[in-house]
Amino acid sequence: LYDRADDKLIGEIVKKFSKVDVLEYIEQPKEKIDFKYSVALVQRENSQRLQISDVVIKVDEWDETNRFCYARRAEYGQFFTLHPDILDSFVPDVDHYRAKTLIAPGVFDDVCELELTKDGKVMNFSYDKQQNKWDLSSMLTTTLKDEMAIEDYVFLWMDMPVVRFASSEEARSALQEKFLDLKVRYQDRDEYENYVLSAPKDGLMFMERMTNVFVAVSAEEVEKLYTTNTFRFLSREAMNVPENEVDRIELGTPEATVSMSYGTNFWIATENDKSRQILPRVRDEVASRMPVLIDHYVKECSELDLPAYGLDKPFLKVTFVLKNGKSKSISLGNEAESGRYAMLGE
């Protein structure tokens, strides 16, 4: 069988056999030993093979029952005994050692791109290693990305539990109807791994994971995970302005605009070309209101959509001008069920 192995399980087995605890070194037993089990660790010139017997039960001179396994290194004549739990790793079922997740990347495989295509709709998640962040520009124009939410979503596809392994006949029959195409690319590789998930059949979806190797996953889990709602990948933090970086604040309403700027040792408010000194706690007020959190996302709007939410002529627009010359703004429009509709600007 040529399939992906369960890396974690194999790693535990390798660790177990890399340092075997010997119970006792012994002379070669007089009785013939049937070394039923054998394990080889391939380490180039240091490769070694361990031969192990079935469990032996013996009663010693003090009437105490001892359970152990005879063992020896195949390359040497030295015999010893091992604890019987060493045999727990020998499971005579190849499925036991197979990966139990949908894609099962290798230990050194870093996923850098996932692409889902369903009914012509393409969702692409690409990781930009240089900028150390996920790129959703093909789906979203906003900068309010939740990097953890995106990464979690990608690995939910990678790590989706396999319900069972499927026969070629059963899976190929289901794959005559397609639910979606799935593409995966790993860091430092140009080629993609291409997969197809079948349409639901008896509560399952089928996929050919390796050549002529098929797995089945829960159709309910796939349908629940797949989404075209990109808002799930956005942060709930609309704005978090460092108060010590604020150089000027502008408050705009349909009737007037007030500008507050920091002077030598105090803040000055300017309205209708008239200025006055104000209390020095402006930055404290900014700090107490940060971060600005989003209740929920409504839609990605065009200019034509703004009047419906009162954002063409905002009830209030607040702009923070920072010491580096950059600015961040938030506009508040009509009242909504909870709070007001809002729109961010740079």
Side-chain angles (χ1 to χ4, degrees):
L1 178 72
Y2 184 70
D3 190 20
R4 297 188 189 275
D6 184 330
D7 281 335
K8 183 178 179 182
L9 175 62
I10 301 302
E12 290 171 352
I13 293 173
V14 170
K15 183 178 180 181
K16 184 174 186 177
F17 284 108
S18 295
K19 188 177 181 181
V20 177
D21 292 325
V22 174
L23 292 179
E24 183 182 13
Y25 288 96
I26 60 173
E27 297 293 330
Q28 180 174 351
K30 294 180 179 180
E31 68 268 29
K32 182 180 179 181
I33 301 174
D34 179 13
F35 288 109
K36 187 176 179 180
Y37 304 94
S38 176
V39 59
L41 294 183
V42 181
Q43 298 170 306
R44 298 180 181 176
E45 67 275 6
N46 296 320
S47 298
Q48 51 188 294
R49 185 160 62 94
L50 185 66
Q51 296 175 307
I52 309 171
S53 75
D54 246 332
V55 178
V56 177
I57 302 176
K58 285 194 173 183
V59 179
D60 62 21
E61 56 187 297
W62 295 282
D63 291 330
E64 291 186 0
T65 301
N66 296 310
R67 300 177 75 255
F68 58 87
C69 297
Y70 285 120
R72 73 173 181 183
R73 286 268 302 279
E75 298 82 1
Y76 305 99
Q78 179 68 64
F79 286 77
F80 45 90
T81 58
L82 303 175
H83 194 282
D85 66 5
I86 196 72
L87 300 181
D88 293 345
S89 297
F90 294 91
V91 179
D93 178 8
V94 68
D95 288 352
H96 175 73
Y97 302 96
R98 296 169 68 182
K100 309 302 189 299
T101 55
L102 184 63
I103 305 297
V107 175
F108 301 107
D109 288 333
D110 292 327
V111 179
C112 66
E113 187 172 356
L114 170 70
E115 186 171 285
L116 307 171
T117 304
K118 185 178 186 304
D119 301 328
K121 170 74 173 179
V122 179
M123 298 184 67
N124 184 275
F125 307 82
S126 301
Y127 185 73
D128 188 324
K129 190 175 182 180
Q130 290 184 335
Q131 297 190 42
N132 196 30
K133 61 182 181 181
W134 288 90
D135 178 18
L136 301 183
S137 58
S138 63
M139 300 182 288
L140 289 168
T141 57
T142 181
T143 58
L144 290 176
K145 293 178 296 183
D146 185 333
E147 295 290 329
M148 289 301 297
I150 299 168
E151 187 160 309
D152 287 347
Y153 183 77
V154 170
F155 282 95
L156 282 173
W157 282 100
M158 301 294 106
D159 299 334
M160 181 173 292
V162 167
V163 174
R164 62 177 174 84
F165 302 106
S167 68
S168 172
E169 181 180 2
E170 177 187 28
R172 290 191 188 282
S173 173
L175 283 163
Q176 292 181 19
E177 293 186 45
K178 179 171 65 176
F179 180 74
L180 61 75
D181 294 288
L182 188 152
K183 291 170 59 174
V184 179
R185 186 169 63 85
Y186 299 103
Q187 201 74 52
D188 301 322
R189 297 189 204 172
D190 294 327
E191 69 277 6
Y192 290 86
E193 291 184 1
N194 299 284
Y195 304 97
V196 175
L197 271 169
S198 75
K201 184 176 182 181
D202 300 327
L204 298 173
M205 290 185 185
F206 297 84
M207 187 185 85
E208 187 172 10
R209 181 164 69 186
M210 305 285 284
T211 303
N212 294 322
V213 173
F214 299 89
V215 295
V217 293
S218 165
E220 181 182 359
E221 289 300 313
V222 173
E223 290 171 334
K224 187 165 59 176
L225 181 58
Y226 177 76
T227 178
T228 56
N229 179 13
T230 51
F231 290 154
R232 69 176 291 170
F233 308 120
L234 300 183
S235 171
R236 285 195 63 240
E237 189 176 280
M239 180 182 291
N240 193 0
V241 177
E243 68 274 12
N244 291 328
E245 295 299 314
V246 176
D247 190 56
R248 188 171 79 254
I249 301 174
E250 295 179 355
L251 305 175
T253 69
E255 292 77 30
T257 298
V258 177
S259 176
M260 293 179 288
S261 56
Y262 189 67
T264 305
N265 293 307
F266 50 82
W267 284 83
I268 298 173
T270 302
E271 181 180 3
N272 297 328
D273 297 327
K274 295 180 180 180
S275 300
R276 67 181 187 281
Q277 184 177 333
I278 56 176
L279 294 174
R281 295 197 300 269
V282 174
R283 288 192 175 125
D284 292 339
E285 290 293 326
V286 172
S288 69
R289 286 163 171 75
M290 295 294 164
V292 178
L293 299 180
I294 295 167
D295 181 73
H296 66 278
Y297 286 89
V298 179
K299 68 179 296 186
E300 191 167 6
C301 295
S302 68
E303 291 290 332
L304 298 176
D305 296 315
L306 298 183
Y309 302 100
L311 291 168
D312 56 330
K313 298 177 181 178
F315 163 79
L316 174 65
K317 181 177 181 179
V318 183
T319 302
F320 298 93
V321 180
L322 307 182
K323 292 178 180 178
N324 61 11
K326 294 182 178 181
S327 64
K328 295 180 179 292
S329 67
I330 182 168
S331 299
L332 304 180
N334 296 339
E335 290 188 7
E337 290 184 7
S338 56
R340 287 180 178 271
Y341 294 112
M343 177 177 67
L344 296 178
E346 296 293 332

